[in-house]
Amino acid sequence: MSLTFEGVLADRSTWRLDNCSIGKSMDVIGTRSSMLILREAFYGTTRFDDFARRTKMTDAIVAARLRELTGIGLFAKRAYQVPGRRSRYEYILTEKGRDLVPAVFALMQWGKKHLQGEDGGPLRLVERGTGEPVMIGPRTVSGRDLDLEDLAIVAHGDWAGPQSG
Amino acid sequence: MSLTFEGVLADRSTWRLDNCSIGKSMDVIGTRSSMLILREAFYGTTRFDDFARRTKMTDAIVAARLRELTGIGLFAKRAYQVPGRRSRYEYILTEKGRDLVPAVFALMQWGKKHLQGEDGGPLRLVERGTGEPVMIGPRTVSGRDLDLEDLAIVAHGDWAGPQSG
DNA sequence: CTCCTAGCTATAGGATTTGATAGCCAGAAC
DNA sequence: GTTCTGGCTATCAAATCCTATAGCTAGGAG
């Protein structure tokens, strides 16, 4: 019914997660506005006004989030200039930002299945070119899809005490 | 640099995401406390007191979240009784709850790479039995791993107007 | 030199989230 | 009975998130 803890972790009463990666991630990007801005960035949006209009959020919060996410390193600012207009900045995803693709699309996959109507909403995520359906989930590097029961958590060899994970 | 929109979606200026699945998902489970409770449930926790102690959150918030998540249908309450104690309820993940495994572990994977120290923290997610490393990300049903550039969004055949996705 | 606009900044207020602390309640132990 | 305990509920205060509204500012257009 759940995943497995191996080695020194097997007895869960002996350790505690003090600064787990999930909590840290949620502290950093755990807001609706951050997720929607990331969605837009994945969709190709780079400019302030487009973020605001497409997410239907106010200028204030878009500005605050872009500043925050840029500060964290999910976006890099890059100058651009439309001919006849003055120079502005656009927001380009860094690798750190792009690495959130699994998290954001996993949320989309879940919402599509469980929160939208019967058909899962009008949009589908597919492979470019082939149109093959795309799924997000855990798998081994050799390509096996895994369920929760197939997962295990192990400690690094030099683990010293209950800290993060 | 981003994903592709195909068919009627190709011109992004003609449509808008009004109730996208990502926003809906964040409305429902987009809190740190929800994610930590789900983490614990994936780790095998089922009882109120264990949720509270393991997540280090207060009783009040754990109770509020469990009630909320149960109401949404992520948990089902099941009576249990330790011999010599009175009957209580424990919180069992439903399929809807278990379907959040990709989202939660994707956050864990990201935090591990980008927010923890150099080694990514002391814990690793592996396949039970083999110990093979586990990754979370988008792939086709036939097993190809995909990058952001390989993804495309298409509309259902009977799509009528700009709504969700 | 004045107007216009994209891209922000400032402020005020409400809703939500969280922590801290305290209290309740039903049954088992005695 | 009375006490004890697991499993909650209630209340208060602080922080965060979001909306709404208004204003600023640097350059191009005229």
Side-chain angles (χ1 to χ4, degrees):
Chain A
M1 282 298 292
S2 64
L3 64 69
T4 307
F5 290 96
E6 296 183 346
V8 291
L9 303 174
D11 181 1
R12 291 195 65 210
S13 67
T14 62
W15 58 280
R16 197 80 52 83
L17 292 167
D18 282 1
N19 62 346
C20 106
S21 296
I22 298 166
K24 282 188 169 187
S25 297
M26 285 302 288
D27 287 343
V28 169
I29 50 150
T31 63
R32 186 185 142 93
S33 52
S34 292
M35 288 293 179
L36 293 184
I37 284 184
L38 282 168
R39 177 201 75 190
E40 273 311 306
F42 296 151
Y43 286 2
T45 299
T46 60
R47 296 180 189 179
F48 182 88
D49 225 44
D50 289 330
F51 280 115
R53 274 187 298 108
R54 293 235 162 81
T55 61
K56 292 192 171 169
M57 298 189 298
T58 60
D59 293 2
I61 193 143
V62 171
R65 280 301 153 261
L66 284 175
R67 201 177 330 121
E68 189 182 310
L69 295 177
T70 302
I72 294 165
L74 273 65
F75 287 104
K77 286 171 77 168
R78 186 177 66 185
Y80 75 96
Q81 189 163 17
V82 176
R85 300 263 174 81
R86 70 178 154 139
S87 172
R88 291 287 181 185
Y89 288 100
E90 58 188 346
Y91 299 86
I92 309 295
L93 280 167
T94 61
E95 188 202 343
K96 187 172 179 178
R98 293 164 56 92
D99 280 345
L100 279 165
V101 162
V104 175
F105 285 107
L107 277 181
M108 177 172 155
Q109 173 176 278
W110 184 80
K112 202 169 148 52
K113 176 172 178 184
H114 292 288
L115 301 179
Q116 299 282 9
E118 193 176 315
D119 63 350
L123 305 186
R124 282 169 47 227
L125 188 64
V126 301
E127 186 183 26
R128 180 179 181 179
T130 70
E132 222 186 304
V134 169
M135 300 296 292
I136 294 175
R139 68 189 177 288
T140 63
V141 291
S142 56
R144 280 191 301 281
D145 287 339
L146 303 177
D147 288 327
L148 183 54
E149 288 74 17
D150 304 320
L151 301 176
I153 289 185
V154 298
H156 278 170
D158 59 349
W159 196 58
Q163 286 160 16
S164 63
Chain B
M1 282 299 292
S2 63
L3 63 69
T4 307
F5 289 96
E6 296 183 347
V8 291
L9 303 174
D11 182 0
R12 290 197 66 211
S13 66
T14 62
W15 58 281
R16 198 81 52 85
L17 292 170
D18 282 1
N19 62 346
C20 104
S21 296
I22 298 166
K24 283 188 169 189
S25 297
M26 286 302 288
D27 286 343
V28 169
I29 50 148
T31 61
R32 187 185 139 92
S33 52
S34 292
M35 289 292 180
L36 293 185
I37 284 185
L38 282 168
R39 176 202 76 190
E40 273 311 307
F42 296 152
Y43 287 0
T45 299
T46 60
R47 296 180 189 180
F48 182 88
D49 225 45
D50 289 331
F51 280 114
R53 275 187 298 108
R54 293 236 160 79
T55 61
K56 291 190 170 171
M57 298 188 301
T58 59
D59 293 1
I61 191 137
V62 170
R65 279 304 151 260
L66 284 176
R67 200 175 332 121
E68 190 181 312
L69 296 177
T70 301
I72 295 165
L74 273 66
F75 288 103
K77 286 170 80 168
R78 188 177 64 185
Y80 75 96
Q81 188 163 18
V82 175
R85 300 264 174 80
R86 69 178 157 142
S87 170
R88 292 288 181 183
Y89 288 100
E90 58 188 346
Y91 299 87
I92 309 295
L93 280 168
T94 62
E95 188 203 343
K96 187 172 180 179
R98 293 165 57 93
D99 280 346
L100 278 164
V101 162
V104 174
F105 285 108
L107 277 180
M108 178 173 156
Q109 173 175 276
W110 184 78
K112 203 169 148 52
K113 175 171 178 184
H114 291 287
L115 301 179
Q116 298 282 9
E118 193 176 315
D119 62 350
L123 304 187
R124 282 168 47 227
L125 189 63
V126 301
E127 185 183 26
R128 180 179 179 177
T130 71
E132 225 186 303
V134 168
M135 301 295 292
I136 292 172
R139 68 189 176 289
T140 65
V141 290
S142 56
R144 280 190 301 283
D145 287 338
L146 303 177
D147 287 327
L148 182 55
E149 288 73 18
D150 304 319
L151 300 177
I153 288 185
V154 297
H156 278 170
D158 58 350
W159 196 58
Q163 287 160 14
S164 63

